[in-house]
Amino acid sequence: MLQTETNRASAAQAYVAEVFETVKRRNPGETEFHQAVKEIVDSLVPVFEKHPVYMEQGILERLVEPERLIHFRVPWTDDKGKVHVNRGFRVQFNSSIGPYKGGLRFHPSVNASIVKFLGFEQILKNSLTGQPIGGGKGGSDFDPKGKSDAEVMRFCQSFMTELGKYIGSDLDVPAGDIGVGGREIGYMFGQYKRIAGGNEAGVLTGKGIGYGGSLARTEATGYGCIYFVNEMLKSKGLSFDGSKVVVSGSGNVSIYAIQKATQLGATVVACSDSNGYIYDPTGIKFETVQRLKEVERKRISEYVNEHPTATYFEGCSGIWTIPCEIALPCATQNEIDADSARKLVANGVQAIGEGANMPSTLEAIDIFHANDVLFGPAKAANAGGVAVSALEMAQNSMRYAWSFHEVDDKLHAIMKNIYTSSVKAADEYGHPGNLVIGANIAGFLKVANAMLAHGIV
Ligand code: GLU
């Protein structure tokens, strides 16, 4: 008996190691994609030990290979008539539980590795929401920063002219991510409508409220992250009330995380953008950040001109040296490395909630776990955005709109459910309290069972 168990354990280890080696060989140099795969496959060893059928049916080697990767040219002209060429991507990773679903990122760093890491994460994140959505992601190395509205519009139209051939409300439903907000979604929706004809509202999410968007979609990722962290805190008798919080970033996720944390009684003492961070011991004012970033599209350094209690510091990583009980990395991948994690721990951090995708390196996560810091991994903690995107799709199909409170209540219930199913899976598979493993397993099982049911496809 003991011998059989040992054999099963080493077979599962060997299987995972072999699949990971294949991923590295087939996707050379794609370090972000390797990192996302590594984190997930290592968590799944106890699942393969307990259910060898997933190994026998090649679930993991199929899961790590995208169903389709689309790569295209995006030509556009700037306001002076100069021609530019950017790269467009869409990875349609896994459609076993629903249409491909995931955002578009417009940022100079976007390449195949970034899109694949995000798309791979999205498969299990979307599964965790309990909604019928598969995993996809896309984007471009176009930088909307500093571009005029007209330039952004021409870029979005050119991008959608190509992407539009591959998406549809039952096929693949893009949304926003870094660099893609309401303005970009509006231009892309307009161009899709023009090309495809008709008004297929469910082809994109994150739309404006006036043309098929969902109330509370704008707030969903930030609010959802706070709801998730709140569940983690409650499990240890802690709360946001009276706590000191650091939130990195100042985009869509950060803004609404700041608002909700403040509503729950926390003082958010810092936030940042890609140039630097602001520190305000009296609490960052959500309304100012929202206006500066979402309306005026200015830098976060401008905040100090309106609030003399705040100080601006150049550079981003210094934000993690600020003492806080709760840290919410909501900016971008790998923003917390081992050094930053050690500083947070030394300053007494109690909980981390990942609002961005993969903001902590694998070493940083190990440091948090080793020091008993509550750790809410991205695919669980930031799933609120895509969860409400799925609710937007549902409303579009019904041709009906729920109130803000109806959507917010559903979001709250979804985040609680993600928390409890992650805790339960972690317990069941022998890693109590480890939400990285719990979220990966809970998300994986639903996808793997659908793949089993569909045969080798
Ligand atoms: N970009 C968001 C994410 O990382 C939202 C995706 C969506 O709404 O489809 O989950």
Side-chain angles (χ1 to χ4, degrees), residues 63-346:
L63 193 74
V64 297
E65 192 62 27
E67 289 175 22
R68 201 168 294 106
L69 174 64
I70 302 150
H71 179 179
F72 50 96
R73 179 173 70 199
V74 190
W76 59 281
T77 44
D78 67 21
D79 289 344
K80 295 194 180 94
K82 184 173 170 354
V83 176
H84 297 263
V85 175
N86 283 98
R87 291 185 145 187
F89 299 91
R90 185 74 183 166
V91 64
Q92 299 182 331
F93 228 118
N94 192 294
S95 61
S96 49
I97 62 171
Y100 310 106
K101 180 82 197 88
L104 298 169
R105 176 177 291 191
F106 291 170
H107 189 270
S109 64
V110 167
N111 56 29
S113 174
I114 299 279
V115 167
K116 281 194 233 168
F117 113 65
L118 290 164
F120 190 61
E121 285 276 302
Q122 203 83 40
I123 304 170
L124 302 191
K125 182 197 304 196
N126 293 3
S127 165
L128 275 173
T129 67
Q131 308 290 308
I133 40 177
K137 200 85 187 193
S140 172
D141 58 359
F142 172 76
D143 189 358
K145 219 181 291 156
K147 305 286 189 303
S148 71
D149 285 351
E151 287 172 331
V152 170
M153 180 185 76
R154 286 195 295 276
F155 174 82
C156 288
Q157 290 175 340
S158 179
F159 184 85
M160 184 50 88
T161 301
E162 187 60 25
L163 181 70
K165 298 170 188 166
Y166 310 103
I167 62 174
S169 47
D170 289 318
L171 173 63
D172 183 357
V173 182
D177 195 83
I178 294 172
V180 178
R183 173 181 62 171
E184 290 75 14
I185 292 291
Y187 292 147
M188 286 192 276
F189 187 71
Q191 183 72 351
Y192 181 82
K193 191 163 65 58
R194 188 175 172 208
I195 294 169
N199 191 321
E200 189 188 338
V203 70
L204 291 177
T205 61
K207 299 181 294 293
I209 302 304
Y211 63 94
S214 173
L215 288 163
R217 174 61 187 90
T218 309
E219 293 82 355
T221 317
Y223 280 19
C225 182
I226 300 298
Y227 297 153
F228 187 90
V229 173
N230 207 26
E231 294 303 307
M232 295 200 302
L233 294 172
K234 278 199 295 195
S235 74
K236 289 271 186 295
L238 304 167
S239 83
F240 273 101
D241 197 19
S243 68
K244 212 182 282 172
V245 178
V246 167
V247 179
S248 63
S250 50
N252 169 264
V253 184
S254 318
I255 290 171
Y256 296 98
I258 295 172
Q259 185 190 32
K260 185 54 77 180
T262 309
Q263 281 173 5
L264 295 183
T267 305
V268 179
V269 293
C271 73
S272 59
D273 64 15
S274 53
N275 292 354
Y277 66 94
I278 52 168
Y279 171 68
D280 187 344
T282 68
I284 305 278
K285 309 292 172 292
F286 141 83
E287 297 84 355
T288 312
V289 180
Q290 185 192 34
R291 175 174 43 75
L292 283 175
K293 300 303 286 192
E294 284 195 329
V295 183
E296 297 170 8
R297 300 184 191 279
K298 289 192 175 147
R299 306 306 300 170
I300 200 67
S301 53
E302 303 268 339
Y303 184 96
V304 301
N305 300 335
E306 298 180 41
H307 298 281
T309 47
T311 321
Y312 175 72
F313 298 88
E314 276 293 329
C316 295
S317 63
I319 196 168
W320 305 121
T321 62
I322 300 171
C324 62
E325 283 95 42
I326 301 163
L328 306 175
C330 297
T332 195
Q333 66 271 2
N334 292 329
E335 56 173 308
I336 300 189
D337 60 8
D339 265 0
S340 299
R342 276 186 216 104
K343 282 187 189 119
L344 282 161
V345 168

Side-chain angles (χ1 to χ4, degrees), residues 379-394:
K379 69 175 69 61
N382 77 26
V386 76
V388 173
S389 275
L391 300 180
E392 181 173 333
M393 290 162 69

Side-chain angles (χ1 to χ4, degrees), residues 283-456:
I284 305 278
K285 309 292 172 292
F286 141 83
E287 297 84 355
T288 312
V289 180
Q290 185 192 34
R291 175 174 43 75
L292 283 175
K293 300 303 286 192
E294 284 195 329
V295 183
E296 297 170 8
R297 300 184 191 279
K298 289 192 175 147
R299 306 306 300 170
I300 200 67
S301 53
E302 303 268 339
Y303 184 96
V304 301
N305 300 335
E306 298 180 41
H307 298 281
T309 47
T311 321
Y312 175 72
F313 298 88
E314 276 293 329
C316 295
S317 63
I319 196 168
W320 305 121
T321 62
I322 300 171
C324 62
E325 283 95 42
I326 301 163
L328 306 175
C330 297
T332 195
Q333 66 271 2
N334 292 329
E335 56 173 308
I336 300 189
D337 60 8
D339 265 0
S340 299
R342 276 186 216 104
K343 282 187 189 119
L344 282 161
V345 168
N347 285 329
V349 76
Q350 292 169 330
I352 311 286
E354 293 192 316
N357 288 310
M358 208 169 75
S360 313
T361 62
L362 296 172
E363 296 76 30
I365 297 174
D366 286 344
I367 291 168
F368 293 133
H369 280 147
N371 288 279
D372 283 328
V373 175
L374 293 165
F375 184 78
K379 69 175 69 61
N382 77 26
V386 76
V388 173
S389 275
L391 300 180
E392 181 173 333
M393 290 162 69
Q395 293 169 85
N396 293 151
S397 296
M398 289 190 290
R399 300 186 184 280
Y400 187 72
W402 290 315
S403 70
F404 186 96
H405 288 293
E406 279 173 293
V407 180
D408 191 32
D409 285 351
K410 289 183 203 300
L411 168 66
H412 206 151
I414 289 170
M415 297 314 294
K416 280 187 169 178
N417 189 49
I418 294 175
Y419 175 76
T420 42
S421 51
S422 304
V423 169
K424 199 166 146 249
D427 279 350
E428 223 173 283
Y429 285 86
H431 294 273
N434 186 324
L435 296 179
V436 173
I437 294 183
N440 284 337
I441 293 179
F444 171 79
L445 288 174
K446 188 174 159 196
V447 175
N449 291 335
M451 289 173 75
L452 281 186
H454 296 165
I456 312 292

